[in-house]
Amino acid sequence: MQPNIAQVALPVPLDKCFDYLIPNYLFPVIGGRVSVPFGRQTLVGIVINIVDHSDFPREQLKPIKASLDTHPIWPAPLYQLLQWCSQFYQYPLGETLAMALPALLKKGKTADFTSLKTWHLTEAGKNKLIQGFGRAHQQEKVVRLLESSSLPHQAMIDEGISSATLKALQQKGWIEMKHTQPAKTVWPNLIENEQHKPQLNAEQAIAVATINQASGFGCYLIDGVTGSGKTEVYLNLIKPVLAAGKQALVLVPEIGLTPQTINRFKRRFHVPIEVMHSGLNDSERLNAWLAARERQAGIIIGTRSSLFTPFADLGIIIVDEEHDASYKQQDSLRYHARDVAVMRGHKENIPVVLGSATPALESLHNAQSGKYHYLSLTQRAGNASAAKHHVLDIKGLYLEGGLSAPLIAQMRRHLNAGNQVMLFLNRRGFSPALMCHECGWIAECKRCDAYYTYHQGNQEIRCHHCGSQRPVIQQCQGCGSTQLVSVGVGTEQLEKQLEILFPEFKTIRIDRDSTRRKGSLESALESIRSGEYQILIGTQMLAKGHHFPNVTLVGLLDVDGSLYSSDFRASERLAQLFIQVAGRAGRASKPGEVLLQTHHPEHALLQSLLHKNYQHFAQTALAERKMAQLPPYSFLTLFRAEANHNDNVEAFLRQVRYTLEAHPLFDEQCLVLGPMPAPLAKRAGKFRWQLMLQVSTRSQMQRLLLSSKTAIQLLPLAKKVRWNLDVEPQDLS
């Protein structure tokens, strides 16, 4: 019998494929998209197989509505990688495949480049510019923007220009919109711009030679101190790949944090470079995706999701700041981009390079056990010398907006010398709580087990967990007093305090609140580099990868909370954060200094970081993890569940525990912890509990989860709670 039944993976939360009849006039391909009826709606799915039989009677099968592709949407190695992700992270195949598609392809659009809407200045507009606009400043702004060149529609919106203004100018005939197809780009013969190319030092040269001389798959961990020139190593690794006509994928933690890196790549190479991140609109994302697949782009730089971009001929994968927590997806398919990048390199048979000044303990363990090749960069590039570290004991000291007198004095010394100062405080808002001075009542989110954060600039209080916000409370809801005071210090309060302490110096704050608008972060970073601001305040956004040559003093204001956390990874994260933040100081010829304010200067972790280095900390931490049989010496899966009723969640996870412990594969090497309330026991009105499974090998974990999952899905309470499992979790909250 002629195979005429397609098994289709659909974007629904079910671990199964669906059978559809193939009409005689349609010719779907395995790995291609089809449009199919599903209940009352029409969905776009991926054909997994074409067979001649079904477990259901043929008369019950619905026919495919349309076949959308003539070729598989992904190359074979990437398709296999997505299937592996679905199995390893225990996530439905249909939703895994849908997650890897650009939004327009998920909606059924053809896989062709989309036209871009661009605005142009007309002759009438040029004449109007000569005559002047009077008080129509917004209209004049638009026309002046288009005076030198046309601009995409999205760029105009990013400039703060409304669609209504554009439409009004279009109706007057001063500007016009054109739909343009992206030009097909051809790689030039001269790939690299060798002007101002720095000379590699011995360690950099060894790293480049080691990787370039190897063939096929290999994973290389570059452990380089901050400022050691890891980016220069990446550039030297990419050159021979491009020269051979192949492409490169560079993963970065957050695209907004690395405009310098992107510009450096664009200055160095003449090949087309595409940047992929969440800020792109649907058309831009599809065009970048297709540019990689059609070999129009030579280099793709992107965040974790760009890992699933199809390439015509991928030659190398580079994961910068491989330790960064943002490489772990925290919802839907909970994959770790670093680990999946290594698996993709294996399937594509190409080298994978992991770079960091503070490698994850898992990566260091893999290097020590021989799974990864270890390369070390111990020297700072150029004339830069390592910054000096000091601890300030602030017990009993008066703090002005979180600043101690010794730190203020040091700041004044560095600022008077014409340098820049950077202060790190990983807490946005004005203060983390609003409290009644009379009775001690604290404004608490009604939907979460968390306090509201006070934002003075907007005169509102916000919950940073569920996003709820309300105007500032003027009266205590406990005793009626109007004596409400802010407790603790956030970046907003610190900024105001610095304007009082240092009125002669300009201060800039960089956090999620101050950089909401597209392009605002890039302009802020450019202002810092140009010397417009002397005092920089920031959260983690400012700690990663930036090069500020005039910053000579870095102050860490409040890290004590991480010293006594219940999360076993807290010490590792604090060590990485300390080294990364400290690495912003003294990156050029000027000597740098790092001051850490703490109430616990005697803490073993701080002493280790001050007097030894990250490598010493990492070896000590690995030894402790081995004794406690924690990752990387064991493997964890976290079951999370939430519901409106507390009892249902606990009862469900108790049933999950019994299911796991009754499984034939569950032995003395397995351990179940919980169920227990999550660290944030209530969020957005839902009660949250969790359960931890710990096993000794990955293979045992996979077999246990795979065979237990069906039984768990059939549990009586499984449909009454919202639950998920996180394989190898990074965040235990």
Side-chain angles (χ1 to χ4, degrees):
M1 184 184 288
Q2 181 75 18
N4 64 348
I5 295 172
Q7 295 177 338
V8 181
L10 294 174
V12 294
L14 296 169
D15 285 313
K16 57 186 278 191
C17 292
F18 299 85
D19 293 350
Y20 287 89
L21 284 174
I22 303 173
N24 293 332
Y25 55 88
L26 291 182
F27 303 96
V29 293
I30 295 173
R33 294 170 302 144
V34 288
S35 174
V36 296
F38 188 79
R40 295 182 179 180
Q41 55 188 329
T42 298
L43 297 180
V44 173
I46 305 292
V47 177
I48 301 302
N49 203 0
I50 296 176
V51 295
D52 58 8
H53 66 281
S54 170
D55 294 337
F56 299 92
R58 293 177 74 86
E59 57 271 14
Q60 289 184 13
L61 301 184
K62 295 179 180 178
I64 292 172
K65 285 188 173 182
S67 178
L68 304 176
D69 300 306
T70 55
H71 297 91
I73 202 84
W74 298 286
L78 180 52
Y79 181 55
Q80 292 164 13
L81 179 77
L82 290 166
Q83 289 178 310
W84 175 86
C85 283
S86 171
Q87 292 166 5
F88 185 82
Y89 292 105
Q90 302 293 325
Y91 198 65
L93 179 61
E95 290 197 314
T96 301
L97 297 175
M99 176 275 310
L101 284 175
L104 291 176
L105 295 188
K106 280 189 266 193
K107 294 172 184 174
K109 189 190 178 303
T110 55
D112 293 323
F113 288 95
T114 59
S115 62
L116 298 174
K117 293 190 286 186
T118 53
W119 289 101
H120 300 254
L121 189 62
T122 62
E123 283 300 321
K126 290 175 185 173
N127 294 334
K128 181 63 182 173
L129 195 58
I130 296 167
Q131 295 167 19
F133 285 81
R135 283 193 252 174
H137 301 302
Q138 190 73 349
Q139 294 187 357
E140 182 178 7
K141 178 184 175 182
V142 174
V143 174
R144 290 212 176 275
L145 279 170
L146 297 174
E147 188 179 6
S148 53
S149 67
S150 59
L151 285 173
H153 178 72
Q154 189 60 43
M156 302 296 277
I157 300 299
D158 294 340
E159 286 289 338
I161 296 156
S162 68
S163 296
T165 302
L166 292 169
K167 192 172 182 181
L169 287 168
Q170 186 182 26
Q171 288 171 345
K172 290 176 180 177
W174 296 340
I175 65 173
E176 61 181 347
M177 178 190 277
K178 293 181 181 177
H179 293 263
T180 56
Q181 283 291 119
K184 288 207 169 187
T185 49
V186 180
W187 293 17
N189 293 326
L190 183 64
I191 285 172
E192 187 183 31
N193 175 16
E194 299 203 8
Q195 202 174 10
H196 309 303
K197 182 178 174 180
Q199 188 73 30
L200 297 179
N201 63 32
E203 289 180 330
Q204 289 173 315
I206 289 168
V208 170
T210 302
I211 300 169
N212 280 344
Q213 286 170 11
S215 61
F217 169 71
C219 187
Y220 302 85
L221 176 62
I222 298 180
D223 181 356
V225 298
T226 52
S228 60
K230 290 185 288 295
T231 305
E232 188 58 37
V233 171
Y234 303 155
L235 294 167
N236 279 270
L237 291 173
I238 288 173
K239 183 191 174 183
V241 171
L242 297 175
K246 295 178 181 288
Q247 298 161 289
L249 171 62
V250 181
L251 293 183
V252 291
E254 295 177 55
I255 209 73
L257 308 181
T258 49
Q260 283 175 289
T261 304
I262 295 162
N263 291 334
R264 195 164 163 190
F265 274 78
K266 288 183 174 178
R267 284 197 305 270
R268 185 70 159 265
F269 295 116
H270 300 301
V271 301
I273 296 173
E274 292 285 348
V275 181
M276 297 183 76
H277 54 91
S278 58
L280 300 181
N281 63 37
D282 290 349
S283 297
E284 290 170 333
R285 177 169 282 276
L286 177 59
N287 286 345
W289 191 90
L290 288 167
R293 195 180 76 161
E294 306 300 325
R295 199 184 163 276
Q296 289 195 34
I299 302 171
I300 294 285
I301 302 174
T303 47
R304 60 175 179 258
S305 61
S306 59
L307 179 60
F308 300 113
T309 305
F311 285 82
D313 196 357
L314 186 57
I316 191 170
I317 300 174
I318 293 169
V319 184
D320 191 29
E321 306 292 358
E322 63 86 31
H323 69 277
D324 200 283
S326 57
Y327 281 125
K328 174 72 173 178
Q329 174 85 10
Q330 297 296 349
D331 55 18
S332 61
L333 175 69
R334 291 172 169 78
Y335 67 95
H336 199 302
R338 177 195 64 220
D339 300 341
V340 179
V342 174
M343 180 55 74
R344 181 166 189 183
H346 182 261
K347 290 190 178 293
E348 304 260 11
N349 197 31
I350 58 172
V352 178
V353 179
L354 311 178
S356 176
T358 54
L361 296 187
E362 286 86 352
S363 298
L364 283 172
H365 174 66
N366 283 332
Q368 289 171 4
S369 60
K371 287 184 182 176
Y372 297 172
H373 304 275
Y374 182 77
L375 298 162
S376 179
L377 304 178
T378 60
Q379 302 167 19
R380 278 193 150 195
N383 302 321
S385 56
K388 293 177 181 174
H389 299 167
H390 307 283
V391 159
L392 289 177
D393 185 354
I394 56 173
K395 283 196 292 287
L397 294 184
Y398 174 69
L399 301 179
E400 294 185 70
L403 300 167
S404 65
L407 177 56
I408 293 169
Q410 287 290 354
M411 287 177 65
R412 196 169 295 283
R413 186 171 67 83
H414 283 262
L415 290 168
N416 288 338
N419 299 317
Q420 290 173 312
V421 170
M422 179 174 143
L423 298 176
F424 175 81
L425 178 62
N426 206 27
R427 192 187 294 124
R428 58 194 173 95
F430 189 84
S431 69
L434 201 60
M435 184 176 75
C436 174
H437 189 56
E438 300 287 331
C439 72
W441 172 86
I442 300 178
E444 193 172 359
C445 176
K446 290 181 171 59
R447 306 174 70 222
C448 304
D449 279 343
Y451 299 130
Y452 276 120
T453 299
Y454 172 39
H455 288 256
Q456 191 185 62
N458 298 338
Q459 278 299 294
E460 64 184 18
I461 50 177
R462 292 185 207 155
C463 175
H464 288 177
H465 297 282
C466 70
S468 65
Q469 54 195 62
R470 54 184 294 192
V472 171
I473 298 168
Q474 303 297 338
Q475 200 169 8
C476 171
Q477 294 179 3
C479 69
S481 167
T482 55
Q483 295 293 307
L484 296 178
V485 294
S486 58
V487 181
V489 179
T491 50
E492 201 179 308
Q493 184 179 162
L494 179 60
E495 181 182 28
K496 292 202 179 311
Q497 187 63 42
L498 287 165
E499 287 168 0
I500 297 167
L501 290 169
F502 300 98
E504 69 273 34
F505 298 107
K506 289 186 73 176
T507 301
I508 186 169
R509 170 170 58 94
I510 294 186
D511 56 24
R512 292 267 175 254
D513 298 323
S514 65
T515 56
R516 285 183 187 275
R517 275 191 55 201
K518 194 172 179 180
S520 58
L521 178 61
E522 287 84 346
S523 60
L525 294 174
E526 193 52 51
S527 301
I528 292 170
R529 281 191 287 276
S530 67
E532 184 181 340
Y533 297 96
Q534 293 77 48
I535 304 174
L536 331 176
I537 306 166
T539 55
Q540 283 197 42
M541 293 182 73
L542 207 55
K544 304 174 185 177
H546 300 301
H547 178 70
F548 303 129
N550 290 321
V551 170
T552 55
L553 175 66
V554 170
L556 289 89
L557 301 195
D558 185 9
V559 295
D560 285 353
S562 301
L563 297 174
Y564 301 100
S565 170
S566 58
D567 187 345
F568 70 90
R569 283 197 175 90
S571 60
E572 179 186 0
R573 291 205 188 102
L574 176 57
Q576 290 165 344
L577 185 63
F578 177 83
I579 300 294
Q580 293 287 338
V581 174
R584 302 312 109 210
R587 289 178 70 91
S589 54
K590 299 178 180 181
E593 196 173 354
V594 181
L595 293 179
L596 187 147
Q597 289 189 160
T598 178
H599 290 88
H600 310 280
E602 71 292 338
H603 195 281
L605 172 58
L606 296 182
Q607 290 299 318
S608 172
L609 291 171
L610 284 168
H611 301 299
K612 302 289 173 62
N613 54 23
Y614 182 78
Q615 281 67 29
H616 177 267
F617 156 77
Q619 295 312 316
T620 307
L622 278 170
E624 289 173 357
R625 296 255 187 111
K626 189 171 185 178
M627 287 173 63
Q629 279 302 293
L630 288 168
Y633 301 98
S634 67
F635 300 92
L636 304 178
T637 297
L638 187 65
F639 288 81
R640 294 187 180 93
E642 62 180 28
N644 293 324
H645 300 289
N646 203 24
D647 293 344
N648 281 351
V649 193
E650 183 186 4
F652 167 71
L653 286 181
R654 209 167 285 287
Q655 291 173 356
V656 171
R657 176 173 186 146
Y658 296 150
T659 305
L660 292 170
E661 291 179 336
H663 197 282
L665 289 171
F666 194 91
D667 56 26
E668 67 278 357
Q669 300 296 317
C670 303
L671 180 66
V672 179
L673 303 170
M676 65 199 98
L680 187 66
K682 188 182 178 186
R683 185 168 69 189
K686 305 280 188 188
F687 293 95
R688 308 167 71 239
W689 285 67
Q690 55 193 36
L691 180 85
M692 184 85 76
L693 170 66
Q694 182 177 4
V695 297
S696 56
T697 65
R698 268 203 180 100
S699 58
Q700 184 183 20
M701 178 177 71
Q702 284 298 308
R703 291 199 306 274
L704 184 56
L705 292 175
L706 190 63
S707 50
S708 301
K709 197 174 172 190
T710 306
I712 293 169
Q713 288 169 336
L714 295 172
L715 289 172
L717 288 169
K719 288 186 170 61
K720 294 186 178 179
V721 303
R722 184 178 176 185
W723 67 279
N724 62 68
L725 53 88
D726 189 351
V727 177
E728 300 186 3
Q730 295 293 307
D731 180 9
L732 303 182
S733 63

